[in-house]
Amino acid sequence: MEPTQNTNPASPDAPSDRGDLVTTTAEGAKGPISLEALMAGDEKAFEQLVIQESPRLFRVIVRIVGDDDEAASILQETFLQAFQRINTFRRESKLTTWLYAIGINLARASLRKSRRLSSLEDQEVERMQPDFNRGMFVETPAVWDPARVTELADRRQLVRRGIEQLPEDYKTVLVLRDIEEYSTEEVANMLGISSGAVRVRLHRARGALRKLLDPHMRRLPKD
Amino acid sequence: MKFITALKTALGMAPGCEQVNEFLAEYVEGTLDEKMRAQFQEHMDMCKCCDHYLDQYRHTIQLTKETDEISVPSELAEHTLAFLRKSNAFASDQDAASS
Ligand SMILES: [Zn+2]
């Protein structure tokens, strides 16, 4: 099992990306926010950060905790902590990476406390990976039907439910890499784990989701 | 050609399915070095199992990207800012509130 320490937002050995400006996201094309202003406690700059980053961070938190109201309240707490702790930001990662680390940690803590979703166990994720014997596949994987992959009416829901079932460690990495499309390094910094651990979790998460989708996507036998 | 690849795999001179699977994410991302990529390609060309699995794996990534959108409440940022003001996070708003 890969290391699972995740209490260290934006780890100090993060790759250096010390631009003075916070890059804008797609949602908040309001121009760059001055990092100096943020660090000096400028409220206008912080308000702009809230407006810019709220939508994307909210989506990430919803995917982790699976509840809109809970996610909205975690989002508020995230910005409160960020504002109170802005002087602890070390500029070794992007400010947004540091912000997301706070939000993700709060989301995970909330999920652990509530035990809201009955999810798969880590060992089940292991068992959902393909079986090999002497390094070769034991069974030939089925062929998926391209038409079902692209046209099955409830495929979006199926996938969403599949993602929800993944253990939190796997789900978080899958959401950040494959849905939000952060780089491996950014995700590693957000979660306080190594890039190698991100890769391993992502691969297993995809493998487990593939297994959940397999019965729905197989080519139907012609009768 | 296929026979040679199979023989090399059997002798441990070329990657087997398990090894190919282990580096599938890197293969899909195109971050494998050239030599490894060539070995993978050779394996994929002769192995129906890995070929099918790769197809499923790619579709899984695609389906994940196309999953249900999360709708963001329209007042989300406004509510967060109101919460921060109420929590006295902003010092000057605190002054404004008390006056
Ligand atoms: Zn193979």
Side-chain angles (χ1 to χ4, degrees):
Chain A
M1 200 57 223
E2 74 276 18
T4 53
Q5 78 278 12
N6 51 35
T7 49
N8 179 20
S11 66
D13 55 348
S16 171
D17 181 3
R18 36 179 93 204
D20 276 325
L21 302 174
V22 177
T23 42
T24 52
T25 59
E27 287 91 1
K30 289 218 167 173
I33 305 170
S34 159
L35 183 57
E36 296 314 319
L38 280 171
M39 298 289 286
D42 181 309
E43 288 154 31
K44 280 280 165 281
F46 201 79
E47 275 182 20
Q48 210 181 329
L49 183 72
V50 171
I51 291 164
Q52 260 183 213
E53 293 303 325
S54 282
R56 195 176 189 186
L57 184 50
F58 175 79
R59 288 200 305 262
V60 169
I61 296 172
V62 170
R63 295 221 192 258
I64 296 173
V65 301
D67 181 279
D68 283 28
D69 292 338
E70 178 66 6
S73 112
I74 292 169
L75 185 77
Q76 296 178 348
E77 185 61 28
T78 301
F79 280 109
L80 181 61
Q81 287 198 12
F83 193 72
Q84 289 167 340
R85 285 161 42 187
I86 191 83
N87 58 337
T88 68
F89 172 59
R90 296 272 167 266
R91 303 187 187 217
E92 283 143 351
S93 61
K94 280 188 200 167
L95 184 83
T96 45
T97 306
W98 177 82
L99 176 71
Y100 278 56
I102 297 173
I104 291 165
N105 272 330
L106 287 171
R108 304 173 116 174
S110 152
L111 192 65
R112 274 195 295 272
K113 215 163 66 186
S114 72
R115 294 245 143 251
R116 191 179 300 110
L117 299 165
S118 60
S119 67
L120 297 162
E121 302 288 331
D122 285 10
Q123 298 96 306
E124 287 171 279
V125 169
E126 293 301 318
R127 279 199 296 274
M128 291 162 88
Q129 307 303 317
D131 283 329
F132 300 101
N133 183 22
R134 295 176 176 215
M136 305 304 255
F137 268 99
V138 173
E139 263 176 67
T140 309
V143 176
W144 281 9
D145 184 347
R148 298 185 93 189
V149 170
T150 52
E151 286 154 31
L152 190 70
D154 59 352
R155 70 187 193 285
R156 289 201 165 88
Q157 248 191 315
L158 268 175
V159 174
R160 185 172 178 171
R161 261 186 273 132
I163 295 169
E164 277 173 2
Q165 284 180 57
L166 296 174
E168 182 270 321
D169 281 350
Y170 295 90
K171 179 166 57 184
T172 304
V173 168
L174 190 81
V175 167
L176 293 171
R177 286 286 289 115
D178 281 348
I179 300 181
E180 297 298 333
E181 299 186 331
Y182 284 103
S183 72
T184 300
E185 285 66 34
E186 278 176 298
V187 175
N189 289 334
M190 285 176 192
L191 303 180
I193 59 176
S194 68
S195 296
V198 171
R199 286 195 195 94
V200 169
R201 280 187 207 176
L202 178 65
H203 181 60
R204 298 215 175 119
R206 287 168 173 172
L209 187 58
R210 179 207 65 84
K211 180 87 174 172
L212 291 171
L213 297 174
D214 187 33
H216 305 276
M217 298 299 168
R218 286 171 178 232
R219 192 172 284 164
L220 295 169
K222 289 198 178 81
D223 41 29
Chain B
M1 183 60 214
K2 279 192 177 181
F3 172 75
I4 304 256
T5 310
L7 186 67
K8 278 201 269 182
T9 307
L11 294 173
M13 292 159 68
C17 304
E18 192 168 11
Q19 242 181 310
V20 164
N21 198 270
E22 202 179 318
F23 289 95
L24 211 56
E26 285 81 355
Y27 180 74
V28 167
E29 260 177 50
T31 51
L32 284 181
D33 65 49
E34 223 168 293
K35 185 180 166 222
M36 227 165 147
R37 187 169 181 86
Q39 284 185 329
F40 266 55
Q41 203 54 61
E42 225 174 282
H43 181 96
M44 287 291 174
D45 289 347
M46 66 144 207
C47 180
K48 199 170 72 175
C49 293
C50 283
D51 187 53
H52 290 185
Y53 193 89
L54 177 65
D55 188 60
Q56 293 189 1
Y57 193 82
R58 284 207 166 111
H59 281 314
T60 301
I61 297 170
Q62 193 50 40
L63 284 162
T64 302
K65 292 191 192 303
E66 294 166 1
T67 187
D68 274 347
E69 285 267 332
I70 302 282
S71 52
V72 176
S74 54
E75 308 274 275
L76 184 70
E78 268 317 303
H79 286 164
T80 302
L81 289 171
F83 169 83
L84 292 172
R85 292 191 188 101
K86 212 174 72 192
S87 311
N88 294 333
F90 295 161
S92 62
D93 286 321
Q94 197 177 336
D95 297 343
S98 58
S99 64

